[in-house]
Amino acid sequence: MTDVTARHGSRRREQTRARLLDAAHEVFGDVGMDAASVEMICERAGFTRGAFYSNFESKDELFLALITQLAEEKLDAVAGRVRELAPDALSDMSALVHQVVGASLGDRVEPQLISEIRTQAMRDPRLAEAYLTWQNVLRDRVEGIIQQVVSTYGLRLRLPIDDAAQLLLDVSDDTCARATLEGRPTEEITTLLNARIERLVMVLVEAPA
């Protein structure tokens, strides 16, 4: 197999995987995770079951890959805003916090999806291991973002950075899970989540001398 053929095959596999993820996201939005079937996802993507199982071992693995992708997109956006912070952003701590964390969950992020994956993980040890690994990766990304803000502005936190990152994730998970149980729409969950994260960050950061 030539390098050109290998690259073409790799791109085609990436495209197939991306279409399956997009289709899963659409199907989830229509019927929810439990009702979503491999057949429905394949039909929406225009692929056979063979194409599905050449990319994912199961529906659960597909949905875990989906929330990984969505979370990475969100964190990439946050990291981008951190890199673009103005030098005088620290003059208004509230505005700084809002600029860093105050972004919409977006059209592609449903708290219900993450909650359903977590529920499935509680019943499936293999999925639980994968879910915890994903959570650890998220925490590392959040730690890096916090570290960059702290270093750039010489901030002091009331907790070690790793504890602060875990607390932010725990509050986010709890807020989304409870709001989902209460039947709140995504837009309302976004507003509630941002408000709680902003308040928490204000508590975590020591006031400048």
Side-chain angles (χ1 to χ4, degrees):
M1 180 182 296
T2 66
D3 290 343
V4 172
T5 301
R7 286 196 297 271
H8 177 71
S10 178
R11 282 198 302 271
R12 185 169 57 185
R13 181 181 178 85
E14 290 174 2
Q15 292 169 353
T16 299
R17 184 180 177 88
R19 284 173 59 185
L20 286 167
L21 287 169
D22 287 342
H25 191 260
E26 293 174 4
V27 171
F28 169 80
D30 291 342
V31 302
M33 181 178 169
D34 283 340
S37 67
V38 171
E39 289 76 12
M40 293 170 65
I41 294 167
C42 290
E43 182 178 357
R44 185 70 61 94
F47 291 125
T48 64
R49 287 171 60 90
F52 179 94
Y53 286 111
S54 67
N55 285 273
F56 303 100
E57 289 187 3
S58 65
K59 184 182 75 171
D60 287 343
E61 181 183 327
L62 169 64
F63 278 105
L64 184 59
L66 177 59
I67 63 171
T68 298
Q69 173 183 289
L70 299 178
E72 285 295 317
E73 290 174 358
K74 169 72 172 177
L75 289 173
D76 286 345
V78 172
R81 287 195 299 278
V82 169
R83 289 192 295 269
E84 296 170 0
L85 287 174
D88 61 349
L90 191 58
S91 61
D92 185 344
M93 178 61 71
S94 179
L96 172 62
V97 173
H98 182 76
Q99 186 173 351
V100 172
V101 303
S104 169
L105 291 173
D107 295 335
R108 288 174 53 77
V109 180
E110 285 86 1
Q112 297 94 326
L113 176 56
I114 297 175
S115 296
E116 289 194 39
I117 282 285
R118 183 169 57 242
T119 299
Q120 295 287 349
M122 290 179 181
R123 298 193 289 258
D124 183 341
R126 290 183 58 193
L127 184 59
E129 182 179 358
Y131 181 84
L132 290 173
T133 298
W134 173 71
Q135 285 275 295
N136 291 337
V137 171
L138 281 188
R139 187 188 62 231
D140 290 344
R141 286 290 310 275
V142 173
E143 282 184 35
I145 291 170
I146 295 173
Q147 181 64 67
Q148 185 170 353
V149 174
V150 166
S151 300
T152 299
Y153 296 103
L155 301 176
R156 293 174 59 86
L157 300 181
R158 293 186 170 91
L159 289 177
I161 287 178
D162 57 343
D163 288 341
Q166 187 63 59
L167 183 58
L168 286 167
L169 287 175
D170 289 346
V171 169
S172 296
D173 283 348
D174 181 73
T175 299
C176 289
R178 183 177 181 85
T180 299
L181 289 172
E182 293 171 346
R184 298 178 184 243
T186 299
E187 296 77 9
E188 190 174 334
I189 296 175
T190 294
T191 300
L192 179 62
L193 176 59
N194 287 341
R196 288 186 175 173
I197 291 297
E198 288 183 34
R199 289 198 296 270
L200 178 57
V201 171
M202 296 294 289
V203 171
L204 288 172
V205 177
E206 291 186 1

